[in-house]
Amino acid sequence: MLQGGLIGAGVMIGLLLIPIVHFFTALPSPFIGGFIGGSKAAAAPRQALGVGAVMGMVAFAAVAVAALALDAAFLYAVAVLVGLYAGGLGALGALLGGRSAARANAGAEAP
């Protein structure tokens, strides 16, 4: 769960840092990261919620650090919203990624 969440958060942040690409992947990046993290961890539905929670905490922490650095009080509210958005989409992506990995493993084990 933690590993899947960290993989998902890394993908999410990586998609935001790539120039030009971030214009297209900024909004779906938590879902994409959650899907990749959930499929790597073969996340069950409960684990998918944990993957989303880890991703949400990482996103919240990133914006909260920016709020501290810029000394902007309104960014704390933005940090909460970003954390909830990333956590929700990350959990949904992890759920679908975990199901995809489970189906692939079940198909590989069948003779």
Side-chain angles (χ1 to χ4, degrees):
M1 179 171 63
L2 180 64
Q3 180 184 9
L6 293 177
I7 289 171
V11 170
M12 177 179 65
I13 292 171
L15 288 173
L16 291 173
L17 293 178
I18 301 172
I20 306 299
V21 174
H22 72 275
F23 290 120
F24 304 104
T25 62
L27 292 177
S29 67
F31 179 81
I32 296 168
F35 186 87
I36 294 171
S39 65
K40 293 292 183 188
R46 265 185 212 253
Q47 293 170 330
L49 290 174
V51 169
V54 170
M55 290 178 62
M57 286 187 276
V58 169
F60 170 79
V63 179
V65 167
L68 282 173
L70 297 174
D71 195 27
F74 74 94
L75 281 181
Y76 293 115
V78 172
V80 171
L81 293 176
V82 167
L84 290 173
Y85 178 78
L89 278 184
L92 181 62
L95 178 65
L96 295 177
R99 284 185 157 205
S100 175
R103 285 186 184 158
N105 289 340
E109 292 174 2

